[in-house]
Amino acid sequence: MAVNSQQPDDRHAIEKIVSSYPPEQRFTLAIMQDLQKQINYLPKESLQMTAQHVNAPVSVIFSMATFYKAFSLVPKGRVILKACDGTACHIKGSNVIIDEIYKALGIKPGGTTPDGQFSLETVNCLGACALAPVLVANDQIYPKVTPALLRDIIKEYRGQSDESDGSES
Protein backbone atom coordinates (compact mmCIF):
# COMPACT_ATOMS: atom_id res chain seq x y z
CA MET A 1 0.00 0.00 0.00
CA ALA A 2 1.50 3.32 -1.07
CA VAL A 3 1.61 6.00 1.58
CA ASN A 4 1.69 8.80 -1.02
CA SER A 5 -1.72 7.79 -2.38
CA GLN A 6 -3.17 10.34 0.04
CA GLN A 7 -2.24 13.32 -2.16
CA PRO A 8 -4.69 12.62 -5.02
CA ASP A 9 -7.40 12.04 -2.41
CA ASP A 10 -6.52 15.40 -0.86
CA ARG A 11 -6.70 17.12 -4.26
CA HIS A 12 -10.09 15.57 -4.93
CA ALA A 13 -11.31 16.58 -1.46
CA ILE A 14 -10.02 20.13 -2.00
CA GLU A 15 -11.74 20.44 -5.38
CA LYS A 16 -15.00 19.08 -3.98
CA ILE A 17 -15.04 21.49 -1.02
CA VAL A 18 -13.97 24.57 -2.96
CA SER A 19 -16.43 23.98 -5.79
CA SER A 20 -19.30 23.44 -3.35
CA TYR A 21 -19.33 27.19 -2.67
CA PRO A 22 -20.35 30.03 -4.98
CA PRO A 23 -17.29 31.77 -6.47
CA GLU A 24 -17.57 34.80 -4.21
CA GLN A 25 -14.96 36.19 -1.82
CA ARG A 26 -17.44 36.29 1.06
CA PHE A 27 -17.27 32.46 1.20
CA THR A 28 -13.48 32.33 1.61
CA LEU A 29 -13.47 31.78 5.36
CA ALA A 30 -16.14 29.08 5.16
CA ILE A 31 -14.19 27.28 2.44
CA MET A 32 -11.02 27.41 4.52
CA GLN A 33 -12.84 26.13 7.61
CA ASP A 34 -14.22 23.17 5.67
CA LEU A 35 -10.79 22.43 4.18
CA GLN A 36 -9.16 22.54 7.63
CA LYS A 37 -11.82 20.24 9.05
CA GLN A 38 -11.58 17.72 6.19
CA ILE A 39 -7.82 17.64 5.56
CA ASN A 40 -6.64 18.72 9.02
CA TYR A 41 -4.51 21.55 7.60
CA LEU A 42 -4.43 23.95 4.66
CA PRO A 43 -1.99 22.71 2.03
CA LYS A 44 -0.52 25.30 -0.35
CA GLU A 45 -2.60 23.82 -3.17
CA SER A 46 -5.82 24.44 -1.23
CA LEU A 47 -4.94 28.11 -0.77
CA GLN A 48 -4.20 28.46 -4.47
CA MET A 49 -7.43 26.72 -5.51
CA THR A 50 -9.46 28.83 -3.09
CA ALA A 51 -7.88 32.04 -4.37
CA GLN A 52 -8.60 31.08 -7.98
CA HIS A 53 -12.18 30.05 -7.14
CA VAL A 54 -13.07 33.31 -5.36
CA ASN A 55 -10.95 35.45 -7.69
CA ALA A 56 -8.68 36.79 -4.94
CA PRO A 57 -4.89 37.09 -4.71
CA VAL A 58 -3.21 34.10 -3.06
CA SER A 59 -1.57 36.59 -0.68
CA VAL A 60 -4.99 37.54 0.72
CA ILE A 61 -5.92 33.89 1.27
CA PHE A 62 -2.53 33.21 2.86
CA SER A 63 -2.98 36.23 5.15
CA MET A 64 -6.28 34.82 6.36
CA ALA A 65 -4.75 31.37 6.87
CA THR A 66 -1.96 32.78 9.01
CA PHE A 67 -4.14 35.28 10.89
CA TYR A 68 -6.58 32.76 12.38
CA LYS A 69 -5.11 30.36 14.91
CA ALA A 70 -7.71 27.74 13.96
CA PHE A 71 -5.87 27.22 10.66
CA SER A 72 -2.65 25.33 10.17
CA LEU A 73 -0.35 25.30 7.16
CA VAL A 74 1.31 22.08 8.28
CA PRO A 75 -0.32 18.69 8.83
CA LYS A 76 -1.66 18.11 12.33
CA GLY A 77 -2.00 14.87 14.21
CA ARG A 78 -5.15 12.79 14.21
CA VAL A 79 -5.42 13.63 17.92
CA ILE A 80 -5.01 17.29 18.78
CA LEU A 81 -4.15 17.86 22.41
CA LYS A 82 -4.92 21.37 23.63
CA ALA A 83 -3.36 22.16 26.98
CA CYS A 84 -4.77 25.19 28.72
CA ASP A 85 -2.00 27.41 30.04
CA GLY A 86 -4.18 30.24 31.33
CA THR A 87 -3.63 31.67 34.79
CA ALA A 88 -5.73 29.17 36.76
CA CYS A 89 -4.40 26.16 34.83
CA HIS A 90 -0.83 27.40 35.06
CA ILE A 91 -1.11 27.83 38.83
CA LYS A 92 -2.61 24.32 39.08
CA GLY A 93 0.25 22.76 37.10
CA SER A 94 -0.39 22.95 33.37
CA ASN A 95 3.37 23.25 32.89
CA VAL A 96 3.73 19.80 34.49
CA ILE A 97 1.15 18.42 32.03
CA ILE A 98 2.91 20.02 29.06
CA ASP A 99 6.24 18.60 30.26
CA GLU A 100 4.62 15.18 30.68
CA ILE A 101 3.31 15.32 27.10
CA TYR A 102 6.86 16.02 25.97
CA LYS A 103 8.15 13.05 27.96
CA ALA A 104 5.43 10.72 26.67
CA LEU A 105 5.27 11.84 23.04
CA GLY A 106 8.42 13.85 22.40
CA ILE A 107 6.53 16.92 21.18
CA LYS A 108 6.50 20.50 22.34
CA PRO A 109 3.68 23.00 21.78
CA GLY A 110 3.14 23.40 18.05
CA GLY A 111 4.64 19.98 17.33
CA THR A 112 3.31 16.76 15.86
CA THR A 113 4.57 13.25 16.48
CA PRO A 114 6.48 11.72 13.54
CA ASP A 115 3.72 9.12 13.06
CA GLY A 116 1.11 11.88 12.69
CA GLN A 117 -0.88 10.56 15.62
CA PHE A 118 -0.66 13.50 18.07
CA SER A 119 -0.24 17.28 17.92
CA LEU A 120 0.14 19.57 20.91
CA GLU A 121 -1.17 23.11 21.16
CA THR A 122 -1.33 25.42 24.13
CA VAL A 123 -4.23 27.82 24.53
CA ASN A 124 -4.52 30.88 26.74
CA CYS A 125 -7.81 29.87 28.32
CA LEU A 126 -10.51 27.28 27.80
CA GLY A 127 -12.95 28.93 30.19
CA ALA A 128 -12.98 25.98 32.57
CA CYS A 129 -10.87 27.47 35.35
CA ALA A 130 -12.62 25.54 38.14
CA LEU A 131 -11.49 22.31 36.43
CA ALA A 132 -7.81 23.30 36.18
CA PRO A 133 -5.58 22.03 34.79
CA VAL A 134 -7.65 21.22 31.71
CA LEU A 135 -6.71 19.27 28.62
CA VAL A 136 -8.82 18.91 25.48
CA ALA A 137 -8.21 15.96 23.16
CA ASN A 138 -10.21 16.17 19.91
CA ASP A 139 -12.96 18.20 21.60
CA GLN A 140 -13.16 15.86 24.62
CA ILE A 141 -12.56 17.84 27.83
CA TYR A 142 -10.43 16.28 30.56
CA PRO A 143 -10.61 18.14 33.91
CA LYS A 144 -8.05 18.18 36.72
CA VAL A 145 -5.45 16.37 34.65
CA THR A 146 -2.59 14.69 36.45
CA PRO A 147 0.46 13.05 34.86
CA ALA A 148 -1.10 9.61 35.50
CA LEU A 149 -4.41 10.64 33.92
CA LEU A 150 -2.52 12.12 30.96
CA ARG A 151 -0.74 8.80 30.35
CA ASP A 152 -4.15 7.06 30.41
CA ILE A 153 -5.55 9.60 27.92
CA ILE A 154 -2.62 9.00 25.56
CA LYS A 155 -3.04 5.23 25.87
CA GLU A 156 -6.76 5.56 25.12
CA TYR A 157 -6.15 7.51 21.93
CA ARG A 158 -3.29 5.26 20.86
CA GLY A 159 -5.65 2.29 21.34
CA GLN A 160 -8.30 3.91 19.17
CA SER A 161 -5.72 4.33 16.42
CA ASP A 162 -4.61 0.70 16.71
CA GLU A 163 -8.23 -0.45 16.38
CA SER A 164 -8.89 1.70 13.32
CA ASP A 165 -5.54 0.85 11.67
CA GLY A 166 -5.76 -2.85 12.42
CA SER A 167 -7.19 -3.78 9.05
CA GLU A 168 -3.97 -5.32 7.72
CA SER A 169 -4.56 -8.85 6.51
Side-chain angles (χ1 to χ4, degrees), residues 99-135:
D99 289 346
E100 192 66 29
I101 292 170
Y102 179 73
K103 288 177 193 171
L105 300 173
I107 55 173
K108 294 182 177 182
T112 299
T113 56
D115 64 1
Q117 180 65 24
F118 293 93
S119 288
L120 173 60
E121 300 174 357
T122 56
V123 294
N124 292 330
C125 186
L126 289 168
C129 302
L131 305 174
V134 176
L135 179 77

CSV table of all heavy atoms in Angstrom, one decimal, residues 99-135:
chain,number,residue,atom,x,y,z
A,99,ASP,N,5.0,19.3,30.2
A,99,ASP,CA,6.2,18.6,30.3
A,99,ASP,C,6.0,17.1,30.1
A,99,ASP,O,6.8,16.4,29.5
A,99,ASP,CB,6.9,18.9,31.6
A,99,ASP,CG,7.5,20.3,31.6
A,99,ASP,OD1,7.6,21.0,30.6
A,99,ASP,OD2,7.9,20.8,32.8
A,100,GLU,N,4.9,16.6,30.7
A,100,GLU,CA,4.6,15.2,30.7
A,100,GLU,C,4.3,14.7,29.2
A,100,GLU,O,4.6,13.6,28.8
A,100,GLU,CB,3.5,14.9,31.6
A,100,GLU,CG,3.3,13.4,31.9
A,100,GLU,CD,4.4,12.7,32.6
A,100,GLU,OE1,5.1,13.4,33.4
A,100,GLU,OE2,4.6,11.5,32.4
A,101,ILE,N,3.6,15.6,28.5
A,101,ILE,CA,3.3,15.3,27.1
A,101,ILE,C,4.6,15.2,26.3
A,101,ILE,O,4.8,14.3,25.5
A,101,ILE,CB,2.4,16.4,26.5
A,101,ILE,CG1,1.0,16.3,27.1
A,101,ILE,CG2,2.3,16.2,25.0
A,101,ILE,CD1,0.1,17.4,26.8
A,102,TYR,N,5.6,16.1,26.6
A,102,TYR,CA,6.9,16.0,26.0
A,102,TYR,C,7.6,14.7,26.3
A,102,TYR,O,8.1,14.0,25.4
A,102,TYR,CB,7.7,17.2,26.4
A,102,TYR,CG,9.1,17.1,25.7
A,102,TYR,CD1,9.3,17.4,24.4
A,102,TYR,CD2,10.2,16.8,26.5
A,102,TYR,CE1,10.5,17.3,23.8
A,102,TYR,CE2,11.5,16.7,25.8
A,102,TYR,CZ,11.6,17.0,24.5
A,102,TYR,OH,12.8,16.9,23.9
A,103,LYS,N,7.5,14.3,27.6
A,103,LYS,CA,8.2,13.0,28.0
A,103,LYS,C,7.5,11.8,27.3
A,103,LYS,O,8.2,10.9,26.8
A,103,LYS,CB,8.1,12.9,29.5
A,103,LYS,CG,9.0,13.8,30.3
A,103,LYS,CD,8.8,13.5,31.8
A,103,LYS,CE,9.4,14.6,32.6
A,103,LYS,NZ,9.0,14.5,34.0
A,104,ALA,N,6.2,11.9,27.2
A,104,ALA,CA,5.4,10.7,26.7
A,104,ALA,C,5.5,10.7,25.1
A,104,ALA,O,5.5,9.6,24.6
A,104,ALA,CB,4.0,10.8,27.1
A,105,LEU,N,5.4,11.8,24.5
A,105,LEU,CA,5.3,11.8,23.0
A,105,LEU,C,6.4,12.5,22.3
A,105,LEU,O,6.5,12.4,21.1
A,105,LEU,CB,4.0,12.6,22.7
A,105,LEU,CG,2.7,12.0,23.2
A,105,LEU,CD1,1.5,12.9,22.9
A,105,LEU,CD2,2.5,10.6,22.6
A,106,GLY,N,7.3,13.2,23.0
A,106,GLY,CA,8.4,13.9,22.4
A,106,GLY,C,8.1,15.1,21.6
A,106,GLY,O,8.8,15.5,20.7
A,107,ILE,N,6.9,15.7,21.9
A,107,ILE,CA,6.5,16.9,21.2
A,107,ILE,C,6.4,18.1,22.1
A,107,ILE,O,5.9,17.9,23.3
A,107,ILE,CB,5.2,16.7,20.3
A,107,ILE,CG1,4.1,16.2,21.2
A,107,ILE,CG2,5.5,15.8,19.2
A,107,ILE,CD1,2.7,16.2,20.5
A,108,LYS,N,6.7,19.2,21.6
A,108,LYS,CA,6.5,20.5,22.3
A,108,LYS,C,5.3,21.2,21.7
A,108,LYS,O,4.8,20.8,20.6
A,108,LYS,CB,7.8,21.4,22.2
A,108,LYS,CG,9.0,20.8,22.9
A,108,LYS,CD,10.2,21.7,22.8
A,108,LYS,CE,11.3,21.0,23.6
A,108,LYS,NZ,12.5,21.9,23.6
A,109,PRO,N,4.8,22.3,22.4
A,109,PRO,CA,3.7,23.0,21.8
A,109,PRO,C,4.0,23.4,20.3
A,109,PRO,O,5.0,23.9,20.0
A,109,PRO,CB,3.5,24.2,22.7
A,109,PRO,CG,4.0,23.7,24.0
A,109,PRO,CD,5.2,22.8,23.7
A,110,GLY,N,3.0,23.1,19.5
A,110,GLY,CA,3.1,23.4,18.0
A,110,GLY,C,3.7,22.2,17.3
A,110,GLY,O,3.7,22.2,16.0
A,111,GLY,N,4.1,21.1,18.0
A,111,GLY,CA,4.6,20.0,17.3
A,111,GLY,C,3.7,18.9,17.1
A,111,GLY,O,2.6,18.8,17.6
A,112,THR,N,4.1,17.9,16.2
A,112,THR,CA,3.3,16.8,15.9
A,112,THR,C,4.2,15.6,15.9
A,112,THR,O,5.4,15.7,15.5
A,112,THR,CB,2.7,16.9,14.4
A,112,THR,OG1,1.8,18.0,14.4
A,112,THR,CG2,1.9,15.7,14.0
A,113,THR,N,3.8,14.5,16.4
A,113,THR,CA,4.6,13.2,16.5
A,113,THR,C,4.9,12.8,15.1
A,113,THR,O,4.1,13.0,14.1
A,113,THR,CB,3.9,12.1,17.2
A,113,THR,OG1,2.6,11.9,16.6
A,113,THR,CG2,3.7,12.4,18.7
A,114,PRO,N,6.1,12.2,14.9
A,114,PRO,CA,6.5,11.7,13.5
A,114,PRO,C,5.5,10.8,12.9
A,114,PRO,O,5.3,10.8,11.6
A,114,PRO,CB,7.8,11.0,13.8
A,114,PRO,CG,8.3,11.6,15.1
A,114,PRO,CD,7.1,11.9,15.9
A,115,ASP,N,4.7,10.0,13.7
A,115,ASP,CA,3.7,9.1,13.1
A,115,ASP,C,2.4,9.8,12.7
A,115,ASP,O,1.5,9.2,12.2
A,115,ASP,CB,3.5,7.9,14.0
A,115,ASP,CG,2.8,8.3,15.3
A,115,ASP,OD1,2.6,9.5,15.6
A,115,ASP,OD2,2.6,7.4,16.1
A,116,GLY,N,2.3,11.1,13.0
A,116,GLY,CA,1.1,11.9,12.7
A,116,GLY,C,-0.1,11.6,13.6
A,116,GLY,O,-1.2,12.0,13.3
A,117,GLN,N,0.2,10.9,14.7
A,117,GLN,CA,-0.9,10.6,15.6
A,117,GLN,C,-1.3,11.7,16.5
A,117,GLN,O,-2.5,11.9,16.7
A,117,GLN,CB,-0.4,9.4,16.5
A,117,GLN,CG,-1.5,8.9,17.5
A,117,GLN,CD,-2.7,8.3,16.8
A,117,GLN,OE1,-2.7,7.9,15.7
A,117,GLN,NE2,-3.8,8.3,17.6
A,118,PHE,N,-0.3,12.5,17.1
A,118,PHE,CA,-0.7,13.5,18.1
A,118,PHE,C,0.0,14.8,17.7
A,118,PHE,O,1.1,14.9,17.2
A,118,PHE,CB,-0.1,13.1,19.5
A,118,PHE,CG,-0.8,11.9,20.1
A,118,PHE,CD1,-0.3,10.7,19.9
A,118,PHE,CD2,-1.9,12.1,20.9
A,118,PHE,CE1,-0.9,9.6,20.5
A,118,PHE,CE2,-2.5,11.0,21.4
A,118,PHE,CZ,-2.0,9.7,21.3
A,119,SER,N,-0.8,15.9,18.0
A,119,SER,CA,-0.2,17.3,17.9
A,119,SER,C,-0.5,17.9,19.3
A,119,SER,O,-1.5,17.6,19.9
A,119,SER,CB,-0.9,18.1,16.8
A,119,SER,OG,-0.5,17.7,15.5
A,120,LEU,N,0.3,18.9,19.7
A,120,LEU,CA,0.1,19.6,20.9
A,120,LEU,C,0.0,21.1,20.6
A,120,LEU,O,0.9,21.6,19.9
A,120,LEU,CB,1.3,19.3,21.9
A,120,LEU,CG,1.3,20.1,23.2
A,120,LEU,CD1,0.1,19.9,24.0
A,120,LEU,CD2,2.6,19.8,24.0
A,121,GLU,N,-1.0,21.7,21.2
A,121,GLU,CA,-1.2,23.1,21.2
A,121,GLU,C,-1.4,23.6,22.6
A,121,GLU,O,-2.0,22.9,23.4
A,121,GLU,CB,-2.4,23.5,20.3
A,121,GLU,CG,-2.4,23.0,18.9
A,121,GLU,CD,-3.7,23.3,18.2
A,121,GLU,OE1,-4.6,23.8,18.8
A,121,GLU,OE2,-3.7,23.0,17.0
A,122,THR,N,-1.0,24.8,22.9
A,122,THR,CA,-1.3,25.4,24.1
A,122,THR,C,-2.3,26.5,23.8
A,122,THR,O,-2.2,27.2,22.8
A,122,THR,CB,-0.1,26.0,24.9
A,122,THR,OG1,0.6,26.9,24.1
A,122,THR,CG2,0.8,24.9,25.4
A,123,VAL,N,-3.2,26.8,24.7
A,123,VAL,CA,-4.2,27.8,24.5
A,123,VAL,C,-4.2,28.7,25.8
A,123,VAL,O,-3.9,28.2,26.9
A,123,VAL,CB,-5.6,27.3,24.3
A,123,VAL,CG1,-5.7,26.6,22.9
A,123,VAL,CG2,-6.1,26.3,25.4
A,124,ASN,N,-4.6,29.9,25.6
A,124,ASN,CA,-4.5,30.9,26.7
A,124,ASN,C,-5.6,30.6,27.8
A,124,ASN,O,-5.4,30.9,29.0
A,124,ASN,CB,-4.6,32.3,26.2
A,124,ASN,CG,-3.4,32.7,25.5
A,124,ASN,OD1,-2.3,32.2,25.7
A,124,ASN,ND2,-3.5,33.6,24.5
A,125,CYS,N,-6.8,30.2,27.4
A,125,CYS,CA,-7.8,29.9,28.3
A,125,CYS,C,-8.9,29.1,27.6
A,125,CYS,O,-9.3,29.4,26.5
A,125,CYS,CB,-8.4,31.2,28.9
A,125,CYS,SG,-9.6,30.8,30.2
A,126,LEU,N,-9.4,28.1,28.3
A,126,LEU,CA,-10.5,27.3,27.8
A,126,LEU,C,-11.8,27.6,28.5
A,126,LEU,O,-12.9,27.1,28.2
A,126,LEU,CB,-10.2,25.8,27.9
A,126,LEU,CG,-9.1,25.2,27.0
A,126,LEU,CD1,-8.7,23.8,27.4
A,126,LEU,CD2,-9.6,25.3,25.6
A,127,GLY,N,-11.7,28.5,29.5
A,127,GLY,CA,-13.0,28.9,30.2
A,127,GLY,C,-13.5,27.9,31.2
A,127,GLY,O,-14.7,27.9,31.5
A,128,ALA,N,-12.6,27.0,31.6
A,128,ALA,CA,-13.0,26.0,32.6
A,128,ALA,C,-12.0,26.0,33.8
A,128,ALA,O,-11.5,25.0,34.2
A,128,ALA,CB,-12.9,24.6,31.9
A,129,CYS,N,-11.9,27.2,34.3
A,129,CYS,CA,-10.9,27.5,35.3
A,129,CYS,C,-11.1,26.6,36.6
A,129,CYS,O,-10.1,26.2,37.3
A,129,CYS,CB,-10.9,29.0,35.7
A,129,CYS,SG,-10.5,30.0,34.3
A,130,ALA,N,-12.3,26.3,36.9
A,130,ALA,CA,-12.6,25.5,38.1
A,130,ALA,C,-12.2,24.1,38.0
A,130,ALA,O,-12.1,23.3,38.9
A,130,ALA,CB,-14.1,25.6,38.5
A,131,LEU,N,-11.9,23.7,36.7
A,131,LEU,CA,-11.5,22.3,36.4
A,131,LEU,C,-10.0,22.2,36.2
A,131,LEU,O,-9.5,21.2,35.7
A,131,LEU,CB,-12.3,21.8,35.2
A,131,LEU,CG,-13.8,21.9,35.3
A,131,LEU,CD1,-14.4,21.5,33.9
A,131,LEU,CD2,-14.3,21.0,36.4
A,132,ALA,N,-9.2,23.2,36.5
A,132,ALA,CA,-7.8,23.3,36.2
A,132,ALA,C,-7.0,22.2,36.9
A,132,ALA,O,-7.3,21.8,38.0
A,132,ALA,CB,-7.3,24.7,36.6
A,133,PRO,N,-5.9,21.8,36.2
A,133,PRO,CA,-5.6,22.0,34.8
A,133,PRO,C,-6.4,21.2,33.8
A,133,PRO,O,-6.8,20.1,34.1
A,133,PRO,CB,-4.1,21.6,34.7
A,133,PRO,CG,-3.9,20.6,35.8
A,133,PRO,CD,-4.9,20.9,36.8
A,134,VAL,N,-6.7,21.8,32.7
A,134,VAL,CA,-7.6,21.2,31.7
A,134,VAL,C,-6.9,20.9,30.4
A,134,VAL,O,-6.0,21.6,30.0
A,134,VAL,CB,-8.8,22.2,31.4
A,134,VAL,CG1,-9.7,21.6,30.3
A,134,VAL,CG2,-9.6,22.5,32.6
A,135,LEU,N,-7.3,19.7,29.9
A,135,LEU,CA,-6.7,19.3,28.6
A,135,LEU,C,-7.9,18.9,27.7
A,135,LEU,O,-8.9,18.3,28.2
A,135,LEU,CB,-5.8,18.0,28.8
A,135,LEU,CG,-5.2,17.5,27.5
A,135,LEU,CD1,-4.0,18.3,27.1
A,135,LEU,CD2,-4.7,16.0,27.8
